[in-house]
Amino acid sequence: MRLLILTTVLLASATLHASDAKPLQSADVFDLEFAVDPQISPDGRQIAYLRMSNDIMTDQALTHIWQVSVDGKQHRPLLSGPARFGSPRWSPSGDRLAYIAAAGTRGAELHVRWMDTGQTALLSNLPETPDAISWSPDGEHIAFTMFVAAKPPTLATPPSKPANAKWAAPVTVIESMPYRVDGQGYLATGNTHVFVMPAEGGTPRQLSSGDYDHNGPLSWSPDGTGIVLSANRIDNVNDDPTESELWLIDVATGDMTQLTDRNGPDVAPTFSVDGRSIAYLGYDDELLGYHNMQVYVLDVATGESRSLTGDFDRSVDAVAWDGTSSRLYVQYVDRGKTVIATLTRSGRLSPWLDDAGSAGAGRPYATGSFSVAGNGAIAYTRGNAMRPSDVGTARRNGRASTLTALNEDLFDLRDVATVEAIEWQSAVGDYRVQGWIAKPPGFDANKQYPLILEIHGGPFAAYGPHFSAEVQLYAAAGYVVLYTNPRGSTSYGAEFANEIHHNYPSQDYDDLISGVDAVVAQGYVDEDHLYVTGGSGGGVLTAWIIGKTDRFRAAVVQKPVINWASFVLTSDFSAFFAKYWFGTLPWEDPMAYWKRSPLSLVGNVSTPTMLITGEQDFRTPMPETEQYYQALQLRGVESALVRVPERSHNLVGRPSHMIAKVDNILAWFARYKD
């Protein structure tokens, strides 16, 4: 009888919950949590990861280090508090955990936690933030990269100012490029170098030298005598901005040996367990907008490299040995899904897991990460379109399990949008195009809904069935949301991506419009209430679309390129964009730049248009947005300009910025809903 009563109460509670659940609200952004950078211990028993949450009082993302055992038990915080924690890395024996933390007035420093006692120690006293930390095989040293400032260039020498005089700040002289980078601002003079220091603390010793940047990840040789890394050590980086080679640094002397030599990037090196091979990623540079990143293995004894994935028409994002020297794990994106696969030294690729979740809160980009234990077990970010990333684990060729449920407390109270895949034939060319439809909570196929077409940036990137707070909030406001991967998107092969090589925007427009037609044909979308938005490359396409059709009731153009000539000459990576996206400089072929610029079509625009861009955006700088806004105003088109203070190209760097972005977009669309 007591069991019957308890069951009745539970069923009544579940019914009450279902009726009381509300759609996601913009303020819920502060309650979202994400598992990031899961690191499995060498013995495969424990996982340390970054638990990201948002503080409503400081409007900042917090990162604390948590631990969970591979059976899902003992889920607890390891390091939390007012500091920002990052980069947890296990010692080779698993007895210690190195990490980076910044607390109070002290900048980011290297720390270590002893796992048996919980004691922590500050190891470093660094002038800049360390990165790419890596333990030596014997656990006695830690290597890392760090920016080393150099004396900036000067021209004139100012006169001495009188005592107590208050003069303006001195001028800054710039003689190199890039001189500013989005998210970093104006760059100090100097380069990134490799350091090594005792694991019990002490003075860091700089290993690399020269006016070159040396990049992680860093991989120690099993005997501890060398570290392999990637670096572009040519005299003028702007001549070949994607170039890099593998280099081996002698830990004792700092002598550097070049291991690869070709035209193209070689990155992400990792020594095999036996030290005889180095796996890495790279490609032969053919000056295309997009290249598939391939997996290579270098024989240390002979110096010969060979590709293991030359016939695989996807780009590999990450590679790691599986705990042996005979097989690798790789990560890539296939049709929007992030896949982890096994790869033999003979080149046999076997997909394993396809649910590596995105750790981004904003839009549904295909991302994810994993780490490997000595026994071949992995930890990875696991999620789907309905949930942000949790910690997942799997053993070699085994089934995966999810170890955390970071957002169930929130989603038990929220009725979220369902997301389903859709495909259609493009109106131009023989291409099937894939997308996803997010349907509002309580969706009724017999009703008519407004539709938002949401377009990804890149343009060489991919959306997928991954959680997106922005898409969920649009759907919660009553919109059907279509997001898609038109030609130019990655994860469908090199040919599909390079359809827009020196040809962007172009038929990607037709793919998007065909997608809208395919959803409208399903019968539940009100064709008189269509809206369009997108950011970066998606902002380009949004502006292009409203220059080609008046079909959309309103548009929001986010952080766009409007004039390709002004963009190439003001963006942070000017040399790359000119060389790979156009092949000529703006004054050499001005019409090639103009005919692809949305500004060339502004005379056709009648769609009410809002623009939104960060004031510190150095990727698609604010003048791009201002050109378009003023052109629309001069033409008398209903338009608004929203400037986001403090923000770079990443418009949603703080929780309130995401809320402001989504709420203003919805407010603009609502203005034209009736």
Side-chain angles (χ1 to χ4, degrees):
M1 178 63 71
R2 290 183 62 189
L3 179 61
L4 177 61
I5 293 173
L6 178 59
T7 303
T8 304
V9 170
L10 289 174
L11 288 173
S13 175
T15 303
L16 181 64
H17 159 68
S19 62
D20 285 353
K22 298 178 181 179
L24 201 68
Q25 307 295 309
S26 59
D28 292 334
V29 167
F30 283 105
D31 294 321
L32 294 174
E33 295 186 85
F34 298 83
V36 181
D37 194 18
Q39 295 293 314
I40 193 166
S41 60
D43 63 8
R45 296 180 179 180
Q46 302 290 331
I47 297 168
Y49 74 97
L50 295 182
R51 183 168 178 168
M52 294 185 63
S53 58
N54 296 318
D55 182 4
I56 197 169
M57 299 306 294
T58 63
D59 189 26
Q60 297 283 355
L62 304 178
T63 53
H64 298 152
I65 299 176
W66 280 58
Q67 177 182 350
V68 62
S69 57
V70 294
D71 59 6
K73 300 177 181 178
Q74 298 180 324
H75 187 211
R76 57 179 184 255
L78 285 181
L79 296 155
S80 61
R84 292 186 178 183
F85 299 91
S87 301
R89 295 296 182 269
W90 295 94
S91 66
S93 63
D95 64 331
R96 288 160 291 167
L97 189 74
Y99 60 96
I100 296 170
T105 59
R106 180 180 287 277
E109 299 284 359
L110 189 59
H111 300 72
V112 164
R113 184 185 196 273
W114 278 259
M115 301 305 293
D116 57 350
T117 66
Q119 292 175 301
T120 63
L122 170 66
L123 298 188
S124 64
N125 184 23
L126 303 173
E128 300 287 346
T129 300
D131 195 13
I133 60 178
S134 178
W135 288 86
S136 64
D138 61 6
E140 296 296 320
H141 292 84
I142 298 175
F144 59 92
T145 61
M146 185 179 69
F147 178 79
V148 178
K151 186 177 180 180
T154 59
L155 293 173
T157 301
S160 299
K161 63 182 179 180
N164 301 319
K166 296 182 179 180
W167 289 14
V171 300
T172 299
V173 177
I174 297 171
E175 295 184 339
S176 62
M177 193 173 71
Y179 58 91
R180 62 179 184 178
V181 172
D182 187 70
Q184 299 180 45
Y186 284 83
L187 301 178
T189 304
N191 294 98
T192 299
H193 287 287
V194 179
F195 292 79
V196 65
M197 69 179 297
E200 294 184 355
T203 302
R205 178 166 57 94
Q206 183 175 329
L207 295 183
S208 60
S209 60
D211 296 331
Y212 313 104
D213 289 324
H214 302 81
N215 305 310
L218 307 176
S219 179
W220 290 75
S221 60
D223 63 7
T225 62
I227 297 173
V228 66
L229 59 108
S230 175
N232 186 346
R233 290 174 61 90
I234 65 176
D235 289 336
N236 188 349
V237 174
N238 293 313
D239 289 341
D240 206 346
T242 67
E243 174 66 11
S244 63
E245 306 294 351
L246 299 189
W247 295 79
L248 182 67
I249 298 185
D250 187 296
V251 175
T253 66
D255 292 340
M256 298 187 65
T257 302
Q258 185 173 337
L259 301 180
T260 58
D261 182 15
R262 65 159 167 189
N263 182 27
D266 294 320
V267 298
T270 177
F271 267 104
S272 61
V273 176
D274 60 16
R276 297 177 181 177
S277 304
I278 298 172
Y280 64 99
L281 303 177
Y283 59 79
D284 294 323
D285 190 351
E286 299 178 6
L287 298 180
L288 296 170
Y290 172 81
H291 298 82
N292 277 333
M293 193 72 81
Q294 298 181 36
V295 178
Y296 291 81
V297 170
L298 181 148
D299 186 301
V300 173
T302 66
E304 297 295 321
S305 289
R306 62 186 181 92
S307 173
L308 303 187
T309 58
D311 296 328
F312 181 54
D313 193 17
R314 295 292 185 270
S315 186
V316 178
D317 303 319
V319 59
W321 296 95
D322 75 341
T324 72
S325 298
S326 60
R327 193 170 64 164
L328 296 154
Y329 292 144
V330 298
Q331 179 178 296
Y332 58 90
V333 181
D334 179 45
R335 298 181 60 78
K337 287 188 173 183
T338 303
V339 178
I340 298 173
T342 61
L343 177 65
T344 66
R345 295 183 71 123
S346 64
R348 183 167 60 87
L349 187 78
S350 302
W352 180 17
L353 308 167
D354 68 355
D355 58 357
S358 172
R363 297 192 280 165
Y365 284 110
T367 61
S369 65
F370 71 95
S371 63
V372 187
N375 62 3
I378 69 166
Y380 72 108
T381 51
R382 192 183 197 202
N384 54 52
M386 311 285 285
R387 292 292 186 273
S389 56
D390 277 296
V391 177
T393 187
R395 291 195 173 273
R396 187 182 286 130
N397 289 334
R399 297 181 63 183
S401 58
T402 302
L403 305 180
T404 60
L406 302 184
N407 293 280
E408 292 313 298
D409 55 341
L410 171 63
F411 287 106
D412 278 348
L413 305 174
R414 294 292 179 262
D415 189 3
V416 299
T418 58
V419 178
E420 61 186 47
I422 182 175
E423 286 192 10
W424 60 89
Q425 184 72 32
S426 178
V428 176
D430 187 22
Y431 284 111
R432 296 285 295 176
V433 182
Q434 185 181 31
W436 290 266
I437 305 170
K439 296 179 177 179
F443 175 79
D444 183 346
N446 295 315
K447 294 183 178 180
Q448 293 276 288
Y449 294 87
L451 177 139
I452 294 176
L453 171 62
E454 211 285 338
I455 310 170
H456 73 62
F460 300 108
Y463 275 163
H466 308 290
F467 181 81
S468 164
E470 295 179 29
V471 168
Q472 286 288 341
L473 288 170
Y474 296 146
Y479 293 86
V480 168
V481 184
L482 171 65
Y483 64 92
T484 175
N485 288 330
R487 71 191 72 187
S489 300
T490 56
S491 79
Y492 301 88
E495 178 185 332
F496 188 80
N498 279 315
E499 275 287 301
I500 65 169
H501 176 60
H502 293 180
N503 187 35
Y504 167 72
S506 57
Q507 283 72 48
D508 38 2
Y509 164 85
D510 300 287
D511 296 346
L512 293 165
I513 298 302
S514 298
V516 172
D517 291 339
V519 180
V520 168
Q522 297 199 16
Y524 51 76
V525 167
D526 182 350
E527 194 168 6
D528 292 329
H529 287 83
L530 305 179
Y531 304 86
V532 59
T533 187
S536 193
V540 175
L541 282 166
T542 301
W544 191 260
I545 284 171
I546 60 176
K548 303 277 275 186
T549 179
D550 61 359
R551 184 176 184 182
F552 294 89
R553 205 171 180 92
V556 176
V557 177
Q558 307 171 41
K559 53 188 181 183
V561 175
I562 294 301
N563 182 336
W564 284 108
S566 58
F567 162 76
V568 161
L569 296 177
T570 58
S571 185
D572 51 358
F573 295 127
S574 167
F576 171 82
F577 293 126
K579 183 173 184 176
Y580 289 90
W581 287 13
F582 286 89
T584 62
L585 295 168
W587 53 88
E588 295 172 341
D589 191 356
M591 287 309 299
Y593 281 76
W594 178 248
K595 70 182 181 181
R596 290 164 53 186
S597 296
L599 190 60
S600 70
L601 302 177
V602 72
N604 302 332
V605 177
S606 60
T607 305
T609 302
M610 180 186 110
L611 296 109
I612 180 168
T613 299
E615 292 183 346
Q616 300 299 314
D617 191 332
F618 293 150
R619 183 64 42 79
T620 56
M622 180 62 79
E624 291 298 305
T625 293
E626 291 172 332
Q627 287 181 69
Y628 201 63
Y629 171 70
Q630 294 190 164
L632 293 172
Q633 286 282 308
L634 289 171
R635 292 201 57 252
V637 177
E638 293 179 79
S639 49
L641 171 60
V642 177
R643 300 172 64 96
V644 185
E646 304 175 5
R647 286 318 309 147
S648 62
H649 198 61
N650 176 15
L651 275 177
V652 297
R654 300 177 71 173
S656 68
H657 287 139
M658 179 185 292
I659 292 170
K661 172 187 170 181
V662 171
D663 285 355
N664 278 280
I665 289 172
L666 289 173
W668 182 256
F669 289 163
R671 182 182 290 187
Y672 300 96
K673 209 167 183 180
D674 298 321

